[in-house]
């Protein structure tokens, strides 16, 4: 049960009502490919096909109809409990934001959290989320927001603030042959074993983290998947793997056994964003987005005048 997300169950229940992937996607605010991913994921977990889909119609299998009938009461009880808890929170009984993040947080971010606490008495509960699952906690209602890397193309999510773009760096072991160089090019990745995130993120997001090919089209080898940044750095330090990271993470995660090299030739820089569910935009979240905007504007101004 730990591996079955509420989002998957919700998607199956709506599909059971609509019997149409397009209408299900529209009703939930997802893409049709996201609906297909969620249904496939729950079928893998249950171990049996729940939905039959042809070019003309969508139907539940016998197992699917039975499963829907059994799981719907539990889902409705769970959503009722969430709704009641959210109502209490909105009435002021609970003033807390649950925010997920990957790896580390800039000082400007934690300063914005401090200001939100001081100005509005809002407590921030932080959770490091799996590297390859940037959206699940927010979409499942387990987190109020998350600070993750772009791109975000999920209709159910709002990008509340875009952080300044940052350069990519390549993390290599201090003993790696590349460690003696001052910088590398994206084409060099074709000769390396580059770590990739493991999780349920859409393909477009995973491919943005680690491209599958170099700009010239050469395949980028990747034999190992990781779930956290620290796990990745530990593997890099062994000398067998390399990892793409953003410049701020490198400056805040110094290790004697890992070197960070500027990398040229990647099409897009790294850029973080604050995201939250579109249907659950709150004054606390919009205030946090405003504070982040102010904080990073001040930081850029300070650096400009130094």
């Amino acid at each position: 049960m730990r591996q079955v997300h509420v989002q998957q169950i919700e998607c199956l229940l709506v599909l059971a009502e609509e019997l149409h992937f397009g209408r299900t996607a529209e009703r939930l605010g997802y893409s049709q490919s996201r609906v297909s991913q969620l249904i496939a994921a729950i079928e893998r977990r249950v171990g049996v096909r729940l939905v039959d889909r042809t070019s003309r119609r969508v139907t539940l299998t016998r197992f699917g109809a039975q499963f829907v009938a059994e799981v719907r009461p539990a889902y409705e009880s769970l959503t009722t409990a969430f709704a009641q808890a959210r109502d209490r929170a909105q009435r002021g009984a609970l003033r807390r934001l649950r925010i997920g993040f990957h790896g580390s947080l800039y000082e400007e971010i934690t300063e914005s959290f401090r200001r939100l606490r001081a100005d509005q008495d809002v407590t921030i509960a932080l959770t490091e989320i799996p590297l390859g699952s940037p959206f699940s906690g927010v979409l499942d209602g387990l987190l109020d927001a998350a600070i993750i890397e772009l791109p975000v193309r999920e209709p159910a999510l709002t990008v509340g603030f875009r952080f300044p773009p940052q350069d990519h760096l390549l993390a290599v072991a201090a003993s790696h042959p590349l460690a003696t160089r001052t910088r590398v090019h994206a084409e060099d990745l074709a000769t390396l074993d580059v770590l990739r995130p493991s999780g349920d993120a859409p393909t477009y997001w995973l491919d943005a983290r680690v491209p599958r090919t170099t700009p010239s089209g050469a395949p980028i080898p990747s034999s190992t998947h990781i779930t956290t940044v620290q796990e990745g750095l530990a593997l890099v330090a062994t000398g067998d793997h390399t990892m793409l990271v953003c410049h701020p993470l490198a400056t805040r995660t110094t290790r004697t056994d890992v070197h960070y090299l500027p990398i040229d030739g990647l099409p897009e820089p790294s850029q973080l964003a604050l995201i939250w569910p579109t249907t659950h935009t709150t004054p606390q979240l919009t205030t946090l987005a405003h504070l982040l905007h102010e904080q990073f504007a001040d930081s850029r101004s300070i650096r400009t005048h130094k």
Side-chain angles (χ1 to χ4, degrees), residues 132-146:
S133 299
F135 308 136
S136 297
V138 178
L139 291 172
D140 291 346
L142 302 177
L143 297 171
D144 300 302

Side-chain angles (χ1 to χ4, degrees), residues 104-168:
S104 65
L105 295 173
Y106 305 1
E107 291 85 347
E108 292 91 339
I109 299 175
T110 54
E111 174 61 16
S112 298
F113 293 163
R114 188 198 65 77
R115 291 178 59 189
L116 187 66
R117 173 67 180 269
D119 296 346
Q120 298 197 8
D121 194 28
V122 175
T123 300
I124 303 294
L126 294 173
T127 300
E128 185 173 5
I129 56 180
L131 193 58
S133 299
F135 308 136
S136 297
V138 178
L139 291 172
D140 291 346
L142 302 177
L143 297 171
D144 300 302
I147 296 172
I148 54 91
E149 284 193 78
L150 292 171
V152 176
R153 301 172 188 164
E154 309 303 301
L157 296 175
T158 288
V159 176
F161 176 72
R162 295 173 184 266
F163 293 75
Q166 302 289 342
D167 292 334
H168 286 285

Side-chain angles (χ1 to χ4, degrees), residues 42-49:
I42 196 170
E43 287 180 330
R44 286 195 300 270
R45 182 57 180 163
V46 174
V48 68
R49 179 171 289 280

